[in-house]
Amino acid sequence: MLKIGSHVSFKKDTQLLGSLEEALSYGANTFMFYTGAPQNTNRVPLSDELTLKAKEEMKKHKIDINDIVVHAPYIINLANGDENKYNFSISFLKQECKRCEIIGIDKLIIHPGSHVGLGEDVGIKNIINALNEILPTTKTNILLETMAGKGSEVGKNFEEIKKIIDGVGEKDKIGICLDSCHLSDSGYDVSDFDKILDKLSDLNILSKVKCIHINDSKNVCGSKKDRHENFGYGTIGFGSLINIIYNKRLENIPKILETPYIEGFPPYKFEIEMIKEKKYNKNLKEDVINFYKN
Ligand code: FE
Ligand code: FE
Ligand code: ZN
């Protein structure tokens, strides 16, 4: 079954119920959210009442809560060995895992981190140590996102991801989130996605893939930039992205759009329409603007 959605907001007053309603307005059957602003660690108290209402609504709309994912804020960096930053990242991630448990979501996506000049090996070691401290304290599964390789990002290739997984004790709680824009920017040819999946399979980590971020890229393959583009409007292109979404080996894995807003409006309703119909909409920008302006 096609599981397609986007990242949606999580607001203080509506919480999971608001996120669900936003996703439904896009025609989505899954979604991803940050439990607060992605750039900071301010988090509002969770309302059990809103969570409960949201879960009832999900049942009505046949949305499986196991398909919904949370993304941790960007400022967490498990690769940085600086004692203050490292300890802060660990304690904040523990809290974030707890928040996922309270809401009832079992998958939390993190960016592995940036080694800030310490080198990949030290960065990877720091990430492993941090995960080994965090995972035993929670039921939440942590998904490592594959990165574009900008700056000193760790996790820009499958070998680095594999090293992290190998070092983690509680392996059944660790997974992978592929991001099509990041893969292309880091140098993988995503137009032949079976080859990419073969590579993951060779490394024995294909079964770890639990979520896919579907984004086009503003930059060419290998650019290491990480700038997302609207579906079908970037260097990856409509056909290749559709092939990733409908790849048989990735069936039932939630696909999440993180494409940019168009003049302040979310593009997801129209991008999801394109995906379901497998038909390129050359008027995406106009359609989005016209729909939300009125
Ligand atoms: Fe991400
Ligand atoms: Fe992503
Ligand atoms: Zn990105």
Side-chain angles (χ1 to χ4, degrees):
M1 188 180 102
L2 173 65
K3 291 175 180 174
I4 184 75
S6 69
H7 77 91
V8 295
S9 57
F10 183 88
K11 295 190 179 114
K12 189 172 174 260
D13 299 327
T14 56
Q15 304 198 2
L16 187 63
L17 186 61
S19 306
L20 171 68
E21 278 163 1
E22 185 182 339
L24 291 172
S25 80
Y26 302 147
N29 58 1
T30 175
F31 56 92
M32 177 178 85
F33 62 94
Y34 295 80
T35 72
Q39 315 83 358
N40 66 47
T41 52
N42 304 331
R43 295 295 181 262
V44 299
L46 295 168
S47 154
D48 288 341
E49 200 188 319
L50 287 167
T51 303
L52 206 72
K53 261 194 192 152
K55 286 178 182 167
E56 282 166 12
E57 277 305 298
M58 278 181 208
K59 267 193 202 126
K60 277 188 216 157
H61 293 276
K62 299 202 162 57
I63 289 184
D64 185 349
I65 194 154
N66 296 315
D67 291 334
I68 297 167
V69 293
V70 168
H71 198 306
Y74 312 137
I75 45 173
I76 287 180
N77 184 3
L78 302 179
N80 188 344
D82 173 87
E83 211 180 313
N84 283 333
K85 285 179 184 139
Y86 182 73
N87 290 335
F88 162 80
S89 293
I90 290 177
S91 80
F92 190 79
L93 249 194
K94 280 184 184 168
Q95 286 177 51
E96 210 52 359
C97 288
K98 188 87 213 150
R99 290 170 70 78
C100 287
E101 281 178 36
I102 292 168
I103 301 172
I105 287 176
D106 70 351
K107 287 181 269 297
L108 174 66
I109 296 167
I110 65 165
H111 294 175
S114 294
H115 64 68
V116 294
L118 301 168
E120 264 128 43
D121 292 343
V122 176
I124 287 170
K125 205 182 94 219
N126 289 339
I127 295 165
I128 291 169
N129 289 339
L131 289 171
N132 282 334
E133 197 171 315
I134 295 161
L135 288 172
T137 69
T138 181
K139 287 190 292 186
T140 308
N141 302 297
I142 291 181
L143 310 189
L144 304 167
E145 182 165 350
T146 59
M147 302 312 292
K150 78 172 164 343
S152 63
E153 277 173 349
V154 178
K156 60 189 178 299
N157 58 51
F158 300 148
E159 287 76 12
E160 291 179 14
I161 298 279
K162 160 91 172 159
K163 274 187 198 161
I164 298 170
I165 294 174
D166 282 347
V168 168
E170 301 200 353
K171 286 194 176 39
D172 41 328
K173 287 191 201 154
I174 197 93
I176 300 171
C177 172
L178 302 174
D179 183 312
S180 55
C181 168
H182 299 175
L183 287 173
S184 175
D185 283 15
S186 74
Y188 289 98
D189 176 9
V190 295
S191 71
D192 188 354
F193 217 71
D194 270 308
K195 217 168 161 186
I196 288 182
L197 299 179
D198 288 344
K199 187 138 203 225
L200 287 163
S201 176
D202 289 344
L203 290 168
N204 248 314
I205 52 175
L206 180 58
S207 64
K208 291 282 178 202
V209 177
K210 305 291 183 196
C211 181
I212 300 180
H213 288 167
I214 288 289
N215 304 304
D216 215 324
S217 175
K218 285 192 197 295
N219 297 98
V220 292
C221 182
S223 62
K224 304 200 180 331
K225 285 270 178 31
D226 191 4
R227 306 238 0 249
H228 301 181
E229 181 54 281
N230 287 108
F231 194 96
Y233 281 75
T235 59
I236 298 174
F238 187 77
S240 295
L241 289 171
I242 286 286
N243 284 340
I244 299 170
I245 289 172
Y246 287 98
N247 189 305
K248 274 270 176 296
R249 296 155 82 184
L250 302 172
E251 229 183 341
N252 293 317
I253 294 176
K255 322 276 185 332
I256 304 289
L257 294 156
E258 303 173 299
T259 49
Y261 272 40
I262 295 169
E263 293 189 20
F265 303 117
Y268 310 119
K269 175 183 155 60
F270 292 92
E271 291 184 332
I272 288 172
E273 220 165 78
M274 280 200 274
I275 290 164
K276 285 180 179 169
E277 291 169 8
K278 300 186 193 174
K279 195 168 164 280
Y280 181 67
N281 175 1
K282 65 177 190 336
N283 297 317
L284 174 72
K285 302 205 170 177
E286 293 83 344
D287 284 354
V288 168
I289 292 164
N290 286 333
F291 183 81
Y292 287 103
K293 250 192 181 151
N294 303 313

